Amino acid sequence: MYPDRVVSGMRPTGAMHLGHYHGALKNWIKMQSELPCLFFVADWHALTTHYDDPSVIERSTWEMLVDWLAAGVDPSQATLFIQSRVPEHAELHLLLSMATPLGWLERVPTYKDQIENLSSKDLATYGFLGYPLLQAADVLIYRASQVPVGDDQVPHIEMMREIARRFNHLYGKEKGFEEKAQEAVKKLGSKRAKLYNELRTEYQQDGKDEALEQAKAMLDDAQSLSMGDRERLFGYLEGSRKLILVEPQARLTVASRLPGLDGRKMSKSYGNAIALREDKSSVEKKIRTMPTDPARVRRTDAGDPARCPVWQFHQVYSNNETQEWVVKGCKSAGIGCIECKQPVIDAIVKEQEPMHERAQQYLDDPSLVRAIVADGNDAARKLALETMRDVREAMGLAYT
Ligand code: SF4
């Protein structure tokens, strides 16, 4: 039907740290060579929680973009853009809001969590309640097939799917749909048409998912169909509606979690972070002064890696051999903590070297980043406009 596509965004939080790199960016970099990817700076989302201090958003946006590029996000493979530069996200958000039950938003688990976690802020706003719907618009507007998420975000994707389904159900009705769909079946050629009808019956009467998948694969291969007929035939397989919005799938990311220097979640606000492009000497200093197992007061005291945040770094950065050396050396007091930390320092410095190199050109000439994003904004907007044309038409707002 629609081509496979990945959409993912990040709030502009300023310079990124290694927790972001291991938790999300590394995964983006892997995906960009596998599928068409759209990565965006979610500046409107930042406003849902920082509406009272928007001054940092623009600077944070540019800093974050340099970090993405430094980390290896490649603009020749992926589309990088800024959410608010594609205002159609807001239009789709508004249109979806007309038919989205309030209860769907209130039951999103992160809604209540965030209100409690950020209790210092007044988040009883319309924008904050609606942010999962804005997220849905961010994804649905590109008819994305996949959204990379951690476990905690799966309910958001589930809601996006429900929203797409409801939209198609409400607005996918087309006058004479049945007749048009049957005309389109004929265009498949007699052999394929017969197979299509058989698979459709198998799916609709017996609920055979394999039949649905097989029919979809056949439609993907059918070159002779126009876009409109293809959409109709996809919709006809499952019911009597055109599919205007695509239900995305959650793509679960198995990211390695890098904690902060004190073992808690890495966060700039906890003061326990290593920036993505941190200075070499500062990395050395931060790791050398990192807390270790409190039981190792003296060099001769044995320790336990399970109680030491340095060990969690080894789990991300060290191979089996080094990890065995750590466990043995720590438990027998055979190695000192400074000695134990050295391979971590070396690995981080090595990881960051190409990042510093890549970032330099963008720091020397910020117009390069502006140009990459301008191209990305245009490319994203083109796709968004295609979807909005169909959405407006389906909702009776085409005014042709
Ligand atoms: S030897 Fe390594 S793992 Fe053991 S307490 Fe020291 S830093 Fe932590």
Side-chain angles (χ1 to χ4, degrees), residues 292-293 296 305 308 310-311 326 330 335-337 340-341:
T292 58
D293 177 1
R296 290 206 76 180
C308 175
V310 180
W311 171 241
V326 171
C330 180
I335 57 169
C337 290
C340 175
K341 288 170 172 179

Side-chain angles (χ1 to χ4, degrees), residues 219-232:
L219 290 177
D220 276 333
D221 285 348
Q223 306 291 339
S224 56
L225 291 176
S226 69
M227 199 66 175
D229 278 342
R230 198 183 296 265
E231 279 170 36
R232 252 169 233 122

Side-chain angles (χ1 to χ4, degrees), residues 285-329:
K285 195 166 155 224
K286 282 186 173 176
I287 302 286
R288 290 218 173 99
T289 51
M290 228 178 128
T292 58
D293 177 1
R296 290 206 76 180
V297 182
R298 284 178 298 269
R299 164 72 174 76
T300 47
D301 295 331
D304 180 0
R307 286 197 300 262
C308 175
V310 180
W311 171 241
Q312 298 186 51
F313 276 59
H314 273 297
Q315 286 176 310
V316 172
Y317 282 106
S318 300
N319 59 21
N320 288 344
E321 202 186 328
T322 309
Q323 290 187 10
E324 278 168 28
W325 169 79
V326 171
V327 174
K328 218 168 127 206

